């Protein structure tokens, strides 16, 4: 009686055979499609898009009258704790090293800090945690591309520093033919959790339904980068973004070949505000004055221009201007 | 006659509404071997476990060498002791269980020296030497490094006896020590118990092994339905019992 | 009569052919090949992944992930033992407290627990522990004492402690009552019995689910990214906030997760072996059979 090959050997042979087949398939796959994806190309494009404003910021001198107006805790520690969601370029994001915050808001905050004679110390957290952290005193101010709205004014005070509106970002070539807010009916749309875009998307969805059209299918995630990924893979047809982010990303991602901004007036335009706890009047007023001075001496505009977001520049700062 | 080493007076115990012990009295003198016989449910094991306070008694007293077990005599009253202090009293009373209850995660020798080292504070090398001597005495001097799982039932029970002996008790209680053993292993355990008895240990043994009672016991106590029916020397109880109940039991067991 | 010559020839045996096994093997392997080739052709720049694996911030993330998991699990085990013992206490208040503790910390979502600790200053602005003779042992603003890392640690540890309490309780219950009786009979106090006899044997039942929970914990630390702790997930988000390579950085983080989880699994294997050493051998099976002898607790005779 011939002894058959033991079970183990037979499975081993089959496995090796299948593996060889797989490896050959892989060989074809990887080499072929080396995506002219964001990595190499994106990297260089972005390094050129990141301005070095160190000189500009260092040139800002502190104003003694403003320093005197600081609340005692900050005057003593010489630091303002800034809370932000450091995941949205070009407002607040990380440098190549993954730990230094950069962005036009970071530069503005640093400049304001220089005016007040203090350092800025950043704390990264989810967007939805910012207001609570202000109230609990964990941070002294928030600067995170947060829209100054009447609802939010109920909880915190704002010093407006930038004007923005909601823009719609789609895949390059606009395959789904999105022309404006109304063409979002029945489509998948991604927004960042807790933002005014989320509220707008919900309102637009209601409008669609009232007009007899299908609702907008809204997905809310933690960060803008997740949304971009969903757009890239086609899971969503469009993402809602603030004007500066949309402009920056469509300019830089994949050397400008992946995304584009739907042209037209930014929707529901409104100011971004630096957030303060309701009882922190001294800090709020100091920052307001410092910002005003930076606008007057041209530093403010220069910073925005270096990042290409000057179309959002405000003529003057305002407290709770929304 | 000197004071008895063990004195149980009017021991009553109920589990819920079921009265398991209805007033049991027992006296055991130093060096005596007492066997408790009786049918299932008679309360023999429960009574034994009351002697070292593994079960609390509802009424009555248990005195070992002048100490009320589970209590402290103060100002003419018996004050209940906390577990920590009862544990101290138990050092003098060894117990051997039906299911051996050796510490499974320790070797035979480690089982034997655990008590002396951790409870009595004996120096480890002294405890080891004494432990090995004890294992020798029960015929397991070579198996000190074996785990209980590697020993036969009879061997485990002999280690259990050595473990109790290591505490140098005044009194040893045996709760059906051979009931869980294969018949061919019963003999080796009974042999050890016989040696112990011969060496003068005071023992109270609950057992079904009539032959052992006949041979080693100084006194046989027959219990049924939570009370002692009759007691006496083995020759009398086993050969010519006075009570019908005893006769019935023996007839069934010795048949 | 020669016995061998008269024996009839034995019949030929035809072995059962397990065709089903071959079919399923082929199907599974085909699926694997399909998955791998799909991944290879995906719009993912695999070549950049190894770079991200060794980014400085990724390594910082790795350190924080491991630190969070190890410290949280250790605290959880210690607390879990205490709560489990309270659960078995004769004191009804202790039992009520521990039941409530387990219900609360097992019930609330972990993220919520972390956020509560993170925002504790809303409820208690300053943590002050006064000394009896004046002055303070501790008087600091809550936000200073409770950093993001600490908040994450508290949330993870307390949540896990509720699960550990149940695991430890199951372990303690798994130890035969006879062990405690034997310990009592040689004069061991309750605490000595617990430490030397019950707990060590309970470990056999406690370790496998604990090891499982620890591996869950390693991955569960990623929730701390919400409050900005730079663990692996947050680190990869930081990197992709810059280069927009979300999947690539996540895969790099995934590699580290697989590494630590594998190491934890190996550690668990050795730990289980160490505590099970008394169970080895054929006699172990025999002893197990003996333990199955149906006897009531303290067989009432």
């Amino acid at each position: 009686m011939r002894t058959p090959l033991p079970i183990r050997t037979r499975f081993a042979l089959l496995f090796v055979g299948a593996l060889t087949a797989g490896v050959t398939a892989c060989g074809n796959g990887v080499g072929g499609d080396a995506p002219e994806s964001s990595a190499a190309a994106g990297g260089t494009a972005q390094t050129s898009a990141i301005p070095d404003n160190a000189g500009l910021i260092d040139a800002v001198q502190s104003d003694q009258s403003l320093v005197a107006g600081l609340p005692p805790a900050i005057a003593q520690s010489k630091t303002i704790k800034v809370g932000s969601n450091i995941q949205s370029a070009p407002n607040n994001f990380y440098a190549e090293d993954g730990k230094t915050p950069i962005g036009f808001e970071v530069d503005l905050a640093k400049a304001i800090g220089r005016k007040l004679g203090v350092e800025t110390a950043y704390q990264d957290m989810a967007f939805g945690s910012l207001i609570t952290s202000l109230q609990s005193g964990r941070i002294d101010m928030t600067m995170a591309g947060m829209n100054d709205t009447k609802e939010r004014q109920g909880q915190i005070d704002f010093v407006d520093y930038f004007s923005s509106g909601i823009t719609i970002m789609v895949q390059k070539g606009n395959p789904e033919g999105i022309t404006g807010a109304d063409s979002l009916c029945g489509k998948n749309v991604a927004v960042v959790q807790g933002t005014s875009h989320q509220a707008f998307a919900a309102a637009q969805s209601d409008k669609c339904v009232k007009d007899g059209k299908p609702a907008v299918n809204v997905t809310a995630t933690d960060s803008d980068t997740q949304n971009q990924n969903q757009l890239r893979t086609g899971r969503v047809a469009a993402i809602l973004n603030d004007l500066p982010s949309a402009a920056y990303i469509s300019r830089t991602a994949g050397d400008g070949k992946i995304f584009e901004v739907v042209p037209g007036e930014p929707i529901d335009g409104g100011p971004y505000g630096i957030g303060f706890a309701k009882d922190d009047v001294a800090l709020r007023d100091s920052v307001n004055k410092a910002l005003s001075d930076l606008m007057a001496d041209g530093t403010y505009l220069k910073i925005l221009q270096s990042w290409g977001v000057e179309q959002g520049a405000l003529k003057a700062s305002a407290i709770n201007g929304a | 006659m000197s004071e008895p080493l063990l004195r149980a007076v009017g021991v009553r115990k109920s589990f819920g509404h079921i009265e398991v012990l209805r007033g049991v009295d027992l006296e055991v003198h130093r060096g005596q071997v007492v066997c408790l016989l009786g049918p299932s449910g008679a309360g023999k094991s429960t009574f034994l476990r009351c002697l070292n306070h593994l079960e609390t008694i509802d009424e009555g007293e248990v005195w070992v060498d002048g100490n009320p077990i589970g209590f402290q005599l103060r100002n003419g009253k018996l004050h209940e002791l906390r577990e920590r202090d009862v544990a101290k009293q138990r050092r003098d009373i060894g117990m051997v269980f039906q299911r051996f209850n050796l510490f499974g995660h320790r070797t035979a020798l480690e089982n034997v020296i655990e008590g002396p080292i951790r409870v009595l504070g004996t120096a480890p090398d002294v405890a080891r030497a004494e432990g090995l001597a004890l294992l020798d005495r029960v015929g397991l001097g070579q198996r000190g490094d074996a785990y209980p799982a590697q020993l036969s039932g009879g061997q485990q029970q002999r280690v259990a006896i050595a473990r109790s002996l290591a505490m140098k008790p005044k009194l040893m209680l045996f709760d059906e020590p051979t009931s869980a053993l294969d018949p061919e292993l019963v003999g080796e355990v009974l042999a050890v118990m016989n040696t112990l008895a011969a060496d003068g240990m005071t023992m109270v043994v609950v057992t079904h092994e009539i032959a052992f009672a006949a041979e080693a016991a100084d006194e046989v106590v027959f219990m049924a339905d939570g009370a002692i029916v009759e007691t006496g020397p083995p020759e009398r109880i086993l050969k010519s019992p006075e009570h019908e109940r005893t006769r019935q039991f023996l007839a069934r067991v010795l048949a | 009569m020669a016995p061998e010559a008269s024996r009839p020839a034995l019949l030929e045996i035809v072995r059962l052919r397990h065709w089903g096994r071959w079919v399923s093997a082929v199907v599974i392997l085909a699926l694997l090949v399909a998955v791998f080739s799909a991944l290879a052709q995906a719009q993912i720049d695999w070549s950049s992944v190894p770079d991200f694996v060794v980014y400085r911030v990724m390594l910082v993330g790795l350190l924080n992930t491991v630190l969070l998991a190890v410290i949280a699990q250790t605290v959880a085990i210690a607390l879990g033992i205490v709560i489990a013992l309270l659960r078995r206490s004769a004191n009804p208040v202790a039992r009520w407290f521990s039941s409530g503790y387990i219900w609360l910390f097992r019930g609330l979502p972990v993220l919520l627990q972390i956020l509560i600790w993170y925002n504790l200053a809303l409820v208690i602005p300053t943590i002050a522990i006064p000394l009896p003779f004046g002055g303070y042992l501790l008087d600091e603003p809550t936000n200073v004492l409770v950093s993001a890392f600490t908040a994450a640690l508290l949330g993870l540890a307390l949540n896990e402690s509720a699960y550990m309490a149940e695991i430890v309780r199951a372990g303690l219950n798994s130890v035969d009552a006879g062990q405690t009786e034997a310990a009592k009979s040689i004069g061991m106090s309750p605490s000595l019995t617990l430490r030397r006899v019950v707990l060590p044997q309970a470990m056999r039942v406690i370790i496998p689910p604990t090891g499982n929970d620890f591996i869950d914990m390693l991955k569960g630390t990623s929730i701390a990214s919400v409050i900005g702790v730079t663990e692996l997930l947050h680190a990869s988000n930081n990197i992709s906030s810059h280069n927009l390579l979300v999947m690539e950085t996540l895969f790099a983080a995934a590699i580290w997760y697989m590494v630590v989880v594998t190491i934890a699994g190996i550690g668990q294997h050795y730990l289980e072996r160490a505590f099970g050493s008394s169970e080895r051998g054929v006699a172990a099976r025999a002893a197990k059979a003996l333990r199955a002898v149906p006897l009531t607790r303290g067989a009432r005779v």
Side-chain angles (χ1 to χ4, degrees):
Chain A
M1 189 165 64
R2 226 168 41 104
T3 2
L5 276 175
I7 282 279
R8 263 188 303 202
T9 324
R10 286 188 273 173
F11 276 132
L13 285 172
L14 188 63
F15 185 70
V16 170
L19 210 56
T20 326
V23 168
T24 337
C26 284
N28 287 338
V30 158
D33 224 12
E36 52 278 9
S37 87
S38 352
T44 20
Q46 281 179 28
T47 353
S48 65
I50 294 173
D52 180 5
N53 287 323
L56 185 59
I57 294 169
D58 283 341
V60 175
Q61 297 294 324
S62 70
D63 182 339
Q64 281 313 307
S65 60
L66 290 179
V67 174
L70 285 172
I74 293 179
Q76 199 180 27
S77 65
K78 293 223 174 310
T79 313
I80 294 181
K81 298 188 292 255
V82 184
S84 188
N85 177 236
I86 312 181
Q87 300 286 323
S88 340
N91 307 44
N92 303 281
F93 60 117
Y94 281 100
E96 185 119 23
D97 65 0
K99 36 176 234 201
T100 316
I102 56 177
F104 81 85
E105 295 193 7
V106 176
D107 284 344
L108 266 180
K110 283 199 197 135
I112 291 171
R114 290 276 311 173
K115 255 282 180 248
L116 298 174
V118 297
E119 297 284 313
T120 52
Y122 268 82
Q123 291 213 20
D124 193 359
M125 62 190 77
F127 193 86
S129 291
L130 288 169
I131 292 183
T132 330
S133 291
L134 255 186
Q135 293 169 329
S136 77
R138 189 175 280 283
I139 51 182
D140 300 313
M141 68 185 219
T142 70
M143 195 162 178
M146 189 188 290
N147 281 85
D148 177 0
T149 65
K150 281 272 179 286
E151 287 97 39
R152 289 191 180 128
Q153 281 170 19
Q155 293 186 297
I156 60 178
D157 282 338
F158 287 99
V159 166
D160 299 340
Y161 65 95
F162 189 80
S163 176
S164 177
I166 301 176
T167 31
I168 305 173
M169 205 160 88
V170 296
Q171 286 181 346
K172 194 84 180 173
N174 202 352
E176 304 241 5
I178 313 255
T179 53
D182 288 332
S183 47
L184 290 176
C185 299
K187 298 263 196 277
N188 294 331
V189 175
V191 295
V192 174
Q193 181 83 270
T195 56
S196 37
H197 315 149
Q198 190 180 25
F200 172 77
Q204 178 64 34
S205 186
D206 291 340
K207 184 162 175 289
C208 290
V209 170
K210 250 206 227 91
D211 292 343
K213 289 189 248 179
V216 179
N217 190 0
V218 184
T219 318
T221 68
D222 273 330
S223 78
D224 203 59
T225 24
Q226 282 185 44
N227 293 346
Q228 291 159 31
N229 217 50
Q230 297 207 19
L231 183 59
R232 206 157 39 128
T233 56
R235 282 195 87 175
V236 296
I239 61 182
L240 295 184
N241 233 323
D242 281 340
L243 172 60
S245 316
Y248 181 81
I249 289 158
S250 46
R251 215 166 33 116
T252 54
D255 224 6
K257 295 201 182 76
I258 302 183
F259 304 120
E260 71 182 39
V261 174
V262 171
E265 277 288 309
I267 307 154
D268 270 3
Y272 285 165
I274 302 174
F276 299 89
K278 274 283 181 202
D279 52 12
D280 207 352
V281 176
L283 184 61
R284 181 197 73 191
D285 291 342
S286 307
V287 168
N288 187 32
K289 194 75 184 39
L291 182 59
S292 251
D293 292 348
L294 289 170
M295 284 173 171
D297 68 24
T299 314
Y300 168 81
L301 193 59
K302 286 207 193 85
I303 291 177
L304 295 187
Q305 278 169 337
S306 71
W307 287 92
V309 294
E310 62 276 13
Q311 75 257 45
L314 284 177
K315 299 280 189 314
S317 70
I319 294 182
N320 291 332
Chain B
M1 184 86 110
S2 53
E3 271 294 303
L5 177 62
L6 168 68
R7 196 162 62 88
V9 184
V11 174
R12 283 187 185 276
K13 169 92 189 157
S14 299
F15 288 108
H17 299 296
I18 308 172
E19 200 176 13
V20 176
L21 296 174
R22 303 166 197 276
V24 179
D25 303 313
L26 185 68
E27 272 186 14
V28 180
H29 291 262
R30 223 164 288 266
Q32 261 195 331
V33 174
V34 174
C35 280
L36 292 180
L37 303 178
S40 289
K44 313 190 294 294
S45 276
T46 311
F47 177 65
L48 199 74
R49 291 159 61 83
C50 288
L51 295 180
N52 69 349
H53 209 76
L54 277 186
E55 303 281 359
T56 49
I57 53 186
D58 299 329
E59 253 184 70
E61 296 163 12
V62 173
W63 297 79
V64 172
D65 208 14
N67 288 318
I69 300 300
F71 297 88
Q72 192 191 42
L73 186 60
R74 273 204 321 253
N75 306 325
K77 294 206 187 90
L78 285 176
H79 293 258
E80 222 179 333
L81 285 176
R82 11 157 69 110
E83 262 304 305
R84 238 195 358 241
D85 299 315
V86 181
K88 292 203 182 94
Q89 290 180 328
R90 290 202 189 101
R91 294 181 198 182
D92 293 332
I93 309 171
M95 187 164 212
V96 176
F97 300 86
Q98 184 173 1
R99 290 169 71 198
F100 337 134
N101 290 339
L102 286 181
F103 302 138
H105 59 310
R106 300 251 181 271
T107 63
L109 182 60
E110 284 168 350
N111 262 274
V112 174
I113 64 179
E114 181 76 9
I117 294 180
R118 296 283 157 181
V119 179
L120 299 176
T122 318
D125 38 332
V126 174
R128 294 194 133 250
E130 291 181 355
L132 281 169
L134 275 172
L135 283 175
D136 231 4
R137 196 169 148 197
V138 300
L140 289 168
Q142 302 305 313
R143 302 303 308 272
D145 291 324
Y147 281 95
Q150 296 163 319
L151 298 171
S152 75
Q155 290 169 326
Q156 288 188 54
Q157 192 64 297
R158 287 188 274 149
V159 173
I161 295 175
R163 179 176 63 177
S164 287
L165 288 174
M167 297 297 289
K168 304 192 170 83
K170 296 174 181 158
L171 168 71
M172 290 266 293
L173 307 173
F174 292 79
D175 188 359
E176 294 205 46
T178 57
S179 294
L181 294 176
D182 287 342
E184 64 266 23
L185 299 173
V186 168
E188 63 196 56
V189 174
L190 291 180
V192 169
M193 288 167 68
N194 266 313
T195 328
L196 268 182
D199 288 344
M201 174 62 74
T202 315
M203 295 161 59
V204 180
V205 183
V206 171
T207 184
H208 290 301
E209 297 288 328
I210 309 292
F212 171 79
E215 199 186 313
D218 296 309
E219 190 173 310
V220 167
V221 173
F222 178 72
M223 275 179 78
D225 300 321
I228 294 181
V229 174
E230 62 179 301
T231 92
E235 315 82 60
R236 182 166 65 73
I237 300 286
L238 296 177
K239 298 238 171 56
S240 38
E242 282 169 13
H243 288 85
E244 182 55 33
R245 197 83 174 70
T246 323
R247 223 169 288 137
Q248 274 176 9
F249 172 75
L250 288 171
R252 263 184 291 130
V253 167
L254 291 172
Chain C
M1 242 185 304
E4 272 149 38
S6 61
R7 264 176 60 190
L10 290 172
L11 295 170
E12 187 189 341
I13 295 178
V14 178
R15 294 267 167 224
L16 188 61
R17 280 196 155 42
H18 299 278
W19 293 116
R21 293 182 197 169
W22 286 99
V23 169
S24 52
V26 169
V27 168
I28 290 171
L29 285 167
L31 279 172
L32 282 175
V33 168
V35 167
F36 275 112
S37 51
L39 279 176
Q41 291 169 343
Q43 281 186 32
I44 293 177
D45 179 23
W46 298 105
S47 57
S48 62
V49 174
D51 294 329
F52 298 138
V53 172
V54 292
Y55 255 48
R56 182 112 202 289
V57 66
M58 189 70 85
L59 296 177
V60 170
L62 174 67
L63 179 67
N64 280 329
T65 294
V66 173
L67 269 179
L68 261 180
V70 169
I71 300 175
Q73 192 72 37
T74 310
V75 171
I77 291 172
L79 268 175
I81 293 177
V82 171
I83 301 291
L85 290 174
L86 285 177
R87 213 56 173 83
R88 288 156 52 104
S89 163
N91 182 351
V93 173
R95 283 202 309 271
W96 276 95
F97 171 77
S98 62
S99 294
Y101 179 99
I102 292 173
W103 174 76
L104 185 71
F105 287 102
R106 219 170 36 166
L108 289 177
V110 187
L111 180 56
L112 177 58
Q113 293 188 43
I114 291 179
L115 285 173
I116 289 174
W117 293 111
Y118 190 61
N119 294 309
L120 192 61
L122 285 172
V123 179
I124 313 171
T126 315
I127 298 182
I129 305 175
L131 289 169
F133 38 83
Y136 285 93
L137 177 64
L138 191 65
D139 185 11
E140 287 288 331
T142 310
N143 284 320
V144 170
L145 283 177
V146 183
S147 64
F149 188 90
T150 312
L153 200 57
L154 282 168
L156 288 168
L158 290 173
N159 176 68
E160 180 62 24
S161 71
Y163 289 93
M164 282 308 307
E166 290 294 78
I167 291 173
V168 170
R169 192 169 69 94
L172 293 173
N173 284 348
S174 78
V175 178
D176 187 55
Q179 293 289 299
T180 315
E181 292 190 347
K184 282 187 188 177
S185 76
I186 57 171
M188 287 175 97
S189 67
S191 61
L192 198 59
T193 306
L194 182 70
R195 264 190 303 127
R196 299 283 305 173
V197 174
V198 177
L199 256 184
Q201 295 188 81
M203 291 309 250
R204 217 170 295 146
V205 168
I206 291 176
I207 287 178
T210 304
N212 222 37
D213 270 20
F214 179 62
I215 288 175
D216 249 359
M217 175 73 84
L218 280 167
K219 299 187 301 178
T221 52
S222 57
I223 214 165
S225 62
V226 172
I227 56 173
V229 176
T230 312
E231 41 67 59
L232 277 171
L233 183 65
H234 199 259
S236 62
N237 282 347
N238 289 6
I239 300 172
S240 62
S241 80
H242 185 89
N243 57 29
L244 307 183
L245 294 175
V246 177
M247 293 308 292
E248 290 82 347
T249 48
L250 283 176
F251 271 116
I255 288 174
W256 279 121
Y257 277 118
M258 294 303 298
V259 167
V260 292
V261 162
T262 307
I263 294 175
I266 293 173
Q268 178 182 348
H269 170 77
Y270 281 109
L271 207 58
E272 282 183 32
R273 256 202 4 197
F275 278 96
S277 55
S278 43
E279 287 276 290
R280 272 173 295 196
V282 176
R285 269 176 267 145
K288 269 209 175 106
L290 177 67
R291 258 178 268 145
V293 174
L295 290 164
T296 54
R297 189 185 155 272
R300 314 201 192 294
V301 190

